């Protein structure tokens, strides 16, 4: 693996470098790359590296016995294919009443990159049947009340003329609402004004299936996939490599590997591992865990009356990841319907984590960041307390805002994935960020991903960022190959409508999202709306 450990201009600052004899040195393995976690991020980075450097040795470790069993699991997230078509938190209203679409455009750009890589994967044997992981589903924004209706109209006027949001519709007719969303219309009092932003070009994504397909490709190409193996420690060596200590969770046997590069894609478990690595770039970061629940529909008749991902407005003080939504899902070819999320709180950093996770993450370098957020996020605290006190019947009342005639017997409450929001140092305190953050050591020998939504939907952009920051010399050599995988690499599609239409048509056909030659969205086979 020909790469410089230190960037030009001299060695980088050493963090936790050790020059001690390695225990059982004769049994220590060597590898070029270690990937920690078997979720969508590690799977994506592994697939990119396999295409770029097929001769590099790669080892992947996952503490659980299955791939994508945490945040990437299809029932642990909404699988929205976040492209800002329906998520109102990406297009906030300014004080003067105008709508800021800057973040919406950026998120959409990032999702287009993912679509391109997945299309390349389908055409080059990395991924199999695309309908196993991606299906066309309308993305819809829904509001009620005169003020919210006016906001949604302004949002439409700001987004609809934009190349990335072509085809968006504004609907405020009760009759049209009823035709398109019969389940949400039945029993609704339309004296309360309603409005929709409707886009047919949205998708539903089973990130669990997508992750499994990518890992199947990696395994078939010779990558060492070790499930039931937990990375226990990361120690920097004097030559810039990393000693990775791994323990089998069943046999308690220990493996030790020397790796030139480590990626920590362990979801909520990433922060503790980056802290163990003791890189200065991770200092000051903290994590705020937020758990959640969804209602999953158990009545097939209701499931077949709804075909859309419908997002509403977040409650006051609620984090963006708690925006209420009624979501059509397609998982293993079967339709489903969920509503949520209902926020909760636990000190665990993983769904399968420990109650001591949050407390163990407190360090002298991040304690003021954590305390600062505790003071500034009182609205979030109030919201979480109200959610924790909400009974199951209270949750049905919340659901009735979307489905007026909702009955609890048609729904079961399931626990969703755990999310750890990023707390970043700011001044003497800290600020809570709702998004994803790539943390990379200056010498490029280790990187990790923190945060949550839009997360999985922008996984390819995030992993390209890791490659560019950690392998700057190789990245320049890889660029021609990367442009095969992502033709728009380095170009803003929002500023190049012709290129956008070209890659949109290509990805729509490659991912089997359209019928025939007219580019109309393929029906996912979920509902038959009258």
């Amino acid at each position: 693996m020909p790469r410089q450990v230190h960037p030009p201009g001299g060695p980088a600052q050493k963090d936790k470098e050790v020059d001690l004899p390695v225990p059982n040195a004769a049994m220590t393995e060597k590898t070029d790359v270690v990937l920690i976690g078997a979720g969508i991020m590690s799977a994506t980075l592994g697939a990119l590296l396999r295409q770029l450097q097929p001769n590099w040795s790669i080892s992947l470790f996952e503490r659980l016995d299955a791939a994508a069993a945490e945040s990437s699991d299809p029932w642990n997230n909404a699988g929205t294919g976040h492209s800002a078509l329906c998520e109102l938190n990406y297009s906030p209203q300014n004080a003067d009443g105008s709508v800021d679409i800057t973040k919406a455009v950026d998120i959409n750009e990032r999702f287009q990159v993912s679509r391109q890589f997945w299309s390349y994967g389908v055409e080059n044997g990395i991924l199999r049947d695309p309908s196993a992981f991606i299906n066309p589903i309308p993305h819809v924004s829904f509001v009620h009340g005169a003020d919210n209706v006016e906001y949604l109209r302004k949002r439409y006027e700001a987004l609809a003329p934009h190349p990335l949001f072509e085809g968006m519709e504004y609907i405020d007719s009760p009759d049209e609402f009823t035709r398109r969303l019969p389940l949400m219309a039945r029993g609704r009092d339309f004296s309360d004004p309603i409005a929709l932003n409707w886009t047919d070009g949205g998708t539903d994504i089973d990130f669990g299936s997508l992750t499994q397909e990518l890992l199947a490709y990696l395994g078939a190409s010779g990558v060492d996939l070790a499930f039931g193996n937990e990375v226990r420690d990361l120690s920097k060596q004097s030559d810039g490599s990393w000693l990775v200590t791994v323990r089998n969770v069943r046999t308690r046997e220990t493996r030790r590997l020397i790796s030139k590069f480590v990626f920590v894609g362990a979801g909520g478990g990433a922060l503790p591992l980056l802290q163990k690595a003791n890189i200065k770039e991770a200092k000051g970061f903290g994590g705020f865990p937020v758990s959640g629940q969804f209602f999953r529909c158990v009545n097939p008749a209701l499931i077949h009356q709804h075909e859309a991902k419908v997002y509403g407005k977040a409650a006051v003080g609620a984090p963006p990841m708690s925006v209420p939504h009624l979501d059509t899902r397609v998982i293993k070819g079967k339709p489903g319907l969920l509503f949520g999320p209902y926020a909760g709180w636990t000190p665990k950093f993983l769904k399968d984590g420990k109650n001591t996770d949050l407390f163990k993450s407190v360090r002298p370098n991040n304690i003021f960041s954590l305390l600062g957020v505790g003071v500034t996020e009182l609205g979030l605290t109030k919201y979480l307390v109200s959610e924790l006190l909400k009974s199951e019947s209270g949750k049905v009342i919340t659901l009735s805002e979307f489905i007026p005639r909702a009955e609890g017997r048609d729904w079961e409450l399931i626990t969703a994935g755990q999310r750890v929001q990023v707390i970043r140092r700011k001044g003497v305190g800290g600020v809570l960020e709702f998004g994803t953050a790539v943390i990379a050591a200056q010498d490029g020998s280790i990187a990790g991903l923190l945060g949550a939504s839009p997360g999985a939907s922008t996984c390819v952009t995030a992993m390209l960022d890791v490659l560019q920051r950690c392998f700057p010399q190789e990245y320049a050599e890889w660029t021609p190959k990367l442009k095969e995988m992502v033709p728009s690499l380095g170009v803003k599609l929002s500023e190049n409508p012709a290129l956008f239409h070209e890659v949109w048509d290509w990805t729509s056909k490659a991912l089997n999202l359209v019928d025939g030659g007219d580019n109309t969205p393929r029906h996912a086979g979920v509902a038959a709306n009258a």
Side-chain angles (χ1 to χ4, degrees), residues 1 8 98 144 220 314 340 367 530:
M1 178 178 174
S98 62
H144 62 90
I367 189 168

Side-chain angles (χ1 to χ4, degrees), residues 185-199:
R186 194 171 300 118
R188 182 170 298 279
D189 179 5
F190 284 106
S191 65
D192 181 24
I194 53 87
L196 306 173
N197 285 170
W198 184 289
T199 306

